[in-house]
Amino acid sequence: MQKPPENPRLLYVTDPMCAWCYGFTPVIRRLKALWFGRLSVQVLVGGLHPYAQEPLDSAEKDRLAVNWHRAQGKSHLPFDYSFFLQKESIYDTEPACRALLTVRHLRPGLSLEVLRALHSAFFADGLDISQTRVLVEVLRPFGIPENLFLAVFETEEIHRQTQEEFQLVEKIGVSTLPSVYLDHPQGPRLIARGFSELPELEEHLLQALQIPF
């Protein structure tokens, strides 16, 4: 029987414009801090609603608003609902996912912090993070040069990699965002599907680590 890895890696499947991910990312950050030096986290972009071109209709807005209210009730985080007052609300999550993937290439250690900043910009500040100029402003405090970010963000290669990551996440079997998997030589092991609190998440992680590798 092989021992569990000394530094296991979690795969955090998320989307910067996912309300439940906004609530759950602080839990992941606390888990990483609690397991400092004993656990790594790789952020995977799940593509909640990518490539949208048409504005949301009233029924779609209502469903989304209910989802946001539920996430707010669980997470107790601030939400700005001005998004739903716009006449032309196009809910395209691909650019924000691509921005996060770009950060992962340029500054992988910043992925979780940038994700947190994107969440806050969209849900708490009401900014449209599907717009390139807004993404640039959100990333500015992290010291990533604008020209370097755009040089990667706007390439066909990063567009392709973003789409491929959406396909990888689907192949893994992710049906809910957020989801957390334990990376494993025989394939990712599901740790958590949907929002959960830190004690439950840590318990599931410990149980998964007890299964022989």
Side-chain angles (χ1 to χ4, degrees):
M1 181 185 299
Q2 294 182 328
K3 294 182 180 180
E6 293 183 0
N7 187 21
R9 182 172 69 159
L10 290 187
L11 306 176
Y12 175 31
V13 188
T14 184
D15 189 297
M17 298 173 73
C18 161
W20 287 104
C21 300
Y22 170 46
F24 185 63
T25 293
V27 177
I28 288 288
R29 292 175 72 239
R30 289 197 296 271
L31 178 70
K32 185 180 178 184
L34 186 65
W35 284 61
F36 180 75
R38 298 181 293 147
L39 178 76
S40 63
V41 177
Q42 178 175 338
V43 176
L44 297 181
V45 291
L48 177 65
H49 200 260
Y51 309 115
Q53 297 181 350
E54 298 297 326
L56 297 172
D57 60 31
S58 58
E60 290 170 328
K61 281 186 176 181
D62 288 345
R63 285 194 294 270
L64 195 59
V66 168
N67 192 51
W68 286 27
H69 277 290
R70 289 174 176 167
Q72 184 177 24
K74 280 283 189 179
S75 66
H76 309 292
L77 292 173
F79 276 72
D80 181 316
Y81 291 89
S82 60
F83 173 81
F84 298 100
L85 301 178
Q86 302 171 20
K87 292 183 179 179
E88 301 287 316
S89 300
I90 299 178
Y91 192 54
D92 178 14
T93 72
E94 189 275 343
C97 286
R98 181 162 31 102
L100 192 56
L101 190 59
T102 300
V103 170
R104 203 176 77 203
H105 279 291
L106 297 174
R107 303 284 193 275
L110 292 177
S111 296
L112 266 180
E113 298 309 309
V114 169
L115 174 62
R116 179 197 58 79
L118 290 169
H119 283 322
S120 295
F122 182 59
F123 290 105
D125 301 331
L127 300 178
D128 184 0
I129 61 172
S130 68
Q131 301 298 314
T132 301
R133 58 178 177 78
V134 176
L135 291 168
V136 167
E137 289 303 315
V138 173
L139 293 178
R140 197 177 299 282
F142 293 94
I144 300 174
E146 178 179 341
N147 59 345
L148 177 61
F149 169 74
L150 292 176
V152 178
F153 176 73
E154 295 176 342
T155 61
E156 287 299 321
E157 176 65 16
I158 203 70
H159 277 84
R160 181 185 62 78
Q161 289 185 20
T162 303
Q163 187 174 31
E164 287 179 350
E165 190 143 309
F166 294 160
Q167 294 168 350
L168 170 64
V169 164
E170 185 177 355
K171 184 178 179 180
I172 290 173
V174 178
S175 58
T176 301
L177 295 181
S179 285
V180 182
Y181 289 78
L182 176 64
D183 198 13
H184 187 274
Q186 297 178 0
R189 291 176 173 172
L190 181 65
I191 299 294
R193 179 185 290 120
F195 179 88
S196 61
E197 299 289 356
L198 179 59
E200 180 183 1
L201 178 63
E202 187 174 25
E203 180 182 355
H204 289 169
L205 172 59
L206 290 169
Q207 290 173 352
L209 288 173
Q210 291 173 6
I211 301 173
F213 269 67

